[in-house]
Amino acid sequence: MKWLRNLDSLVAVLTLLPSVILLAIFVYGFIGQTIQTSLTNWGKDPAQALAINPVLQFVGLENYKELFSGFIHGRFRQDLVNNLFFTVFFVGGCLLVGLSLAIILDRGPKGEGFFRTVFLFPMSLSFIVTGTIWRWMLQPAGGVNQLPAAVGLPEGHFAWLTSRQQVLQFDWNHLPLFTAWLIGLILLWIGISALRNAQARRGWIAVGSAALLIGWAIFIGPRVQLLPFPEIHGFNLAFIGIIIAAIWQMSGYTMALYLAGLRGVPEELREAARVDGASEVQLYRHIIFPMLAPITLSAMIILGHISLKIFDLIWAMTGVDNAPTEVPALLMYVTTFRSNKIADGAAIATILLLLVALVIVPYLYSQLKSEVRR
Amino acid sequence: MIWRAVQYAILALATLFFLLPVYLVIVTALKEPAAITLESTWQLPKVWYWESFAQAWNAFLPKLQNSFFLTIMGTLLSAMLGSVNGYVLSKWKFPGANIIFPLMLFGMFIPYQAVLIPLFQFIREIGLGGSLWGLILVHVVYGLPITTLIFRNYYAEIPDELVEASRIDGAGFWGIYRNVIFPLSIPGFVVVIIWQFTQIWNEFLFAVTLVSSPANQPITVALAQLAGGEAVKWNLPMAGALLAALPTLLVYVFLGRYFIRGLLAGSVKG
């Protein structure tokens, strides 16, 4: 019996093995190869890029250095900025729309099932379909711009997908400075709230790191120059339409998450709060919203990693080669498969992977840790 | 009372926001090409013109067939593998499983750009470059994390006592799977199949990179190329978008409950 059990365990492991090997190659092996490629000069010379057996030279981190501070790679840096702004507005928009709709639906209006179906259906569509539809909706002289005309108002003139205007501009050279301030202040906040909760060690570590970062930002940061010249980046207004389309597609997801969360708030808790004289606003602010915080975090991470990877929606809405509405995921494709600059493409892909991993790894870690504890 | 009115007003506005694009697609697809102008985007067609659907159907039928073949094969294979994997990971816990599982899951979240260059070469080297089978292989492999996750969580609900009882009756690894686990798996399979069907049908990056020949293109690639062309009148992309959307939309409308369950499982714990 004991032996049989062991034999079965062996069969079990052997059954899992092919999948594990496949994923080991296709995920980790290929990531390793991409990183390796990003450290070479593959594609710097057009002839070598298309050769069957290219002779590659190891160039170390040269490609990365070029991307972040080279003269010709301003497009990559703007794409990175685009993606960061896109992420902030898209995630914020989805959370806001999703939460509002969930709160309203949770209060049990008539036809709740119908509304839920309507708000969620875009989730089942391909980003290509959504992009195609919204591209037509956002034609400069038609679609949404014509809507006011339908009720007798003058038509709109916003250049949805074609605008070249930038707002919220900043100099790329100040990026480390802003980052240090932002992370420093967040750490300070974490540290102070930890100290208030009497978590001395955690609190002092956070406060210490915050002090270091803010100190750097005050004394050294202003003098850091990534580039020998000022380079202005900002939020391209042409993205507004893409963000609206993305919110149209994905806010149903946050609604579903929040609705599940709201349904999990026990009725007795609401009743108890009302008996204690809490108004509806107070009930939400002090009792329900804090309970939804973990869901908000999950949604932020899932949506955030989707938005860092956004590719097909932009392809379908503004095409593959429209620089003002480009993001690194698209630039990687163009660089690799259109311009054959394979090492540069690999470097962009690696940066993208790092950004996503920064979001996903802590999330997976905490999710699985709490699962084990359960 | 006022709150109620506000509530319904917001719902009405939101419904408008979510359904206006649908209205526009249908109206545009049903207009004569000559009647599609920017000024009259929102007007109903004066003449109902069904020809666009026939045209789109003819143009897209081979691509739809490609998509169906790709999606069905990819879905079934990855669902079967996921089921077995989930069974191992939930009922045959072995040392190291707690390390392997998160490493598998990470594959679900990576930006596929990070594997695209070696993948492209690999598929070409094994002779599947440009073919649908290469794409099927890719969808099966990168579908493994999510299908394994869903089945693992689903099988965790099946009591271990059932497995134990079956073992005492003399069933081995596969016997338990066949007699106990698999017959209880139908709802798990429904969730996984719906999820994978939607994902593979809607996928674009792999399709556009790995399938170069137009004859093997899935519908998403064909639609993206059509809509990108400037000379094309909008009735055709709109009719095409409807065709491309219909299969997953029908799945959602008729099996929405399972669709949402897959959606929530995608956020790991669900």
Side-chain angles (χ1 to χ4, degrees):
Chain A
M1 199 59 209
K2 182 90 174 134
W3 181 81
L4 193 68
R5 198 185 169 118
N6 284 340
L7 181 69
D8 277 341
S9 306
L10 186 68
V11 175
V13 172
L14 285 178
T15 310
L16 191 65
L17 204 59
S19 301
V20 170
I21 293 175
L22 275 175
L23 282 174
I25 296 172
F26 276 69
V27 176
Y28 298 96
F30 285 177
I31 286 175
Q33 247 176 300
T34 301
I35 294 173
Q36 200 185 352
T37 304
S38 74
L39 303 175
T40 69
N41 64 348
W42 194 357
K44 294 285 167 195
D45 173 4
Q48 161 231 33
L50 297 170
I52 305 285
N53 288 312
V55 182
L56 303 182
Q57 270 163 354
F58 179 80
V59 297
L61 294 174
E62 188 59 31
N63 293 325
Y64 293 93
K65 212 183 125 212
E66 284 284 305
L67 281 175
F68 282 103
S69 59
F71 180 67
I72 57 164
H73 286 290
R75 185 171 169 188
F76 166 74
R77 297 189 281 271
Q78 177 61 48
D79 286 2
L80 213 54
V81 172
N82 285 344
N83 215 163
L84 291 180
F85 278 120
F86 178 84
T87 302
V88 170
F89 291 123
F90 163 68
V91 175
C94 280
L95 290 179
L96 201 69
V97 174
L99 181 62
S100 321
L101 294 179
I103 289 178
I104 293 179
L105 286 186
D106 182 49
R107 301 183 69 92
K110 288 198 185 70
E112 188 207 321
F114 165 78
F115 290 119
R116 236 183 12 223
T117 310
V118 166
F119 301 154
L120 253 169
F121 89 89
M123 277 290 310
S124 70
L125 304 180
S126 155
F127 269 128
I128 295 290
V129 169
T130 303
T132 309
I133 298 171
W134 278 90
R135 183 188 191 137
W136 174 227
M137 293 269 293
L138 298 176
Q139 288 297 301
V144 170
N145 277 351
Q146 284 287 336
L147 270 181
V151 286
L153 295 167
E155 59 192 66
H157 288 289
F158 189 70
W160 287 104
L161 300 172
T162 48
S163 171
R164 291 286 178 274
Q165 207 186 328
Q166 274 190 354
V167 293
L168 301 171
Q169 288 181 320
F170 65 94
D171 185 348
W172 179 258
N173 290 301
H174 294 149
L175 192 68
L177 186 65
F178 292 149
T179 318
W181 271 112
L182 186 69
I183 298 176
L185 290 177
I186 292 173
L187 279 174
L188 193 65
W189 181 72
I190 292 175
I192 290 174
S193 48
L195 286 179
R196 271 204 197 137
N197 291 328
Q199 294 170 296
R201 207 170 79 98
R202 212 175 131 223
W204 286 116
I205 291 175
V207 170
S209 326
L212 267 176
L213 268 174
I214 293 174
W216 182 89
I218 292 172
F219 296 110
I220 306 172
R223 274 175 288 142
V224 170
Q225 286 281 319
L226 290 172
L227 305 169
F229 45 86
E231 188 178 273
I232 302 300
H233 296 294
F235 174 62
N236 286 322
L237 292 188
F239 260 105
I240 294 177
I242 300 177
I243 291 169
I244 293 175
I247 292 176
W248 181 80
Q249 168 131 7
M250 294 301 298
S251 55
Y253 171 69
T254 32
M255 182 206 72
L257 282 180
Y258 276 130
L259 202 55
L262 287 169
R263 294 277 145 91
V265 176
E267 193 53 39
E268 301 88 67
L269 203 63
R270 297 176 192 227
E271 280 311 314
R274 288 193 189 112
V275 170
D276 287 348
S279 70
E280 286 300 293
V281 176
Q282 282 172 328
L283 171 69
Y284 276 98
R285 233 193 96 194
H286 295 294
I287 295 174
I288 296 182
F289 286 161
M291 290 180 79
L292 294 179
I295 294 179
T296 306
L297 189 65
S298 288
M300 277 172 78
I301 285 161
I302 298 292
L303 293 171
H305 104 280
I306 290 175
S307 92
L308 289 175
K309 298 197 290 197
I310 196 84
F311 175 81
D312 17 12
L313 182 68
I314 296 177
W315 180 310
M317 287 189 78
T318 55
V320 62
D321 249 329
N322 186 47
T325 55
E326 200 175 57
V327 289
L330 244 150
L331 182 65
M332 183 274 166
Y333 178 87
V334 176
T335 310
T336 314
F337 295 101
R338 296 266 167 111
S339 325
N340 295 312
K341 292 183 176 159
I342 297 156
D344 281 346
I348 298 171
T350 307
I351 294 164
L352 198 59
L353 176 72
L354 281 177
L355 283 176
V356 171
L358 218 62
V359 173
I360 285 300
V361 171
Y363 174 68
L364 274 181
Y365 179 75
S366 71
Q367 288 269 300
L368 294 171
K369 205 174 80 174
S370 70
E371 191 184 63
V372 168
R373 212 181 289 145
R374 228 176 11 164
Chain B
M1 252 345 259
I2 295 171
W3 163 242
R4 277 270 136 179
V6 171
Q7 187 180 351
Y8 280 106
I10 296 175
L11 281 177
L13 269 178
T15 310
L16 207 63
F17 172 63
F18 281 96
L19 288 184
L20 266 184
V22 179
Y23 168 79
L24 196 66
V25 173
I26 297 174
V27 166
T28 310
L30 286 172
K31 278 182 196 166
E32 286 179 276
I36 299 174
T37 60
L38 290 170
E39 293 74 33
S40 64
T41 348
W42 296 100
Q43 288 161 20
L44 284 166
K46 295 207 170 58
V47 188
W48 297 84
Y49 181 81
W50 295 91
E51 201 45 32
S52 309
F53 283 103
Q55 273 179 35
W57 178 256
N58 285 333
F60 285 130
L61 184 62
K63 324 285 182 188
L64 286 169
Q65 284 168 337
N66 287 339
S67 275
F68 269 112
F69 179 67
L70 163 77
T71 307
I72 291 170
M73 292 305 288
T75 300
L76 290 182
L77 288 172
S78 63
M80 275 168 352
L81 277 171
S83 163
V84 175
N85 289 347
Y87 166 54
V88 174
L89 284 170
S90 65
K91 297 291 173 231
W92 295 88
K93 298 207 173 81
F94 55 90
N98 285 338
I99 301 167
I100 287 182
F101 183 59
L103 285 174
M104 279 176 86
L105 275 194
F106 184 59
M108 175 162 97
F109 295 104
I110 56 165
Y112 292 129
Q113 275 84 359
V115 294
L116 206 54
I117 297 169
L119 182 69
F120 179 78
Q121 292 175 302
F122 177 81
I123 296 291
R124 208 172 41 183
E125 269 162 37
I126 60 170
L128 293 178
S131 87
L132 276 179
W133 283 106
L135 203 52
I136 291 170
L137 171 70
V138 168
H139 280 303
V140 170
V141 173
Y142 292 107
L144 280 176
I146 181 81
T147 58
T148 303
L149 170 75
I150 296 177
F151 275 116
R152 175 184 167 274
N153 290 353
Y154 180 73
Y155 292 148
E157 310 284 317
I158 295 179
D160 287 341
E161 289 78 29
L162 271 179
V163 175
E164 227 21 75
S166 179
R167 199 212 306 277
I168 289 164
D169 291 344
F173 177 81
W174 289 109
I176 296 170
Y177 181 73
R178 223 179 2 254
N179 300 325
V180 181
I181 303 290
F182 187 74
L184 293 171
S185 298
I186 306 300
F189 268 103
V190 175
V191 173
V192 165
I193 286 176
I194 287 173
W195 175 262
Q196 281 297 85
F197 183 89
T198 316
Q199 291 298 304
I200 301 178
W201 184 275
N202 289 341
E203 204 276 335
F204 180 69
L205 174 63
F206 285 142
V208 78
T209 332
L210 300 177
V211 179
S212 41
S213 71
N216 288 335
Q217 271 172 0
I219 182 82
T220 45
V221 180
L223 182 62
Q225 285 179 353
L226 179 70
E230 294 304 321
V232 182
K233 272 289 182 183
W234 279 95
N235 59 325
L236 211 52
M238 290 301 115
L242 273 174
L243 285 182
L246 215 52
T248 52
L249 208 54
L250 288 177
V251 163
Y252 168 67
V253 169
F254 289 111
L255 297 161
R257 205 155 49 92
Y258 297 99
F259 177 83
I260 293 166
R261 216 179 287 168
L263 199 74
L264 298 181
S267 53
V268 184
K269 260 198 313 199

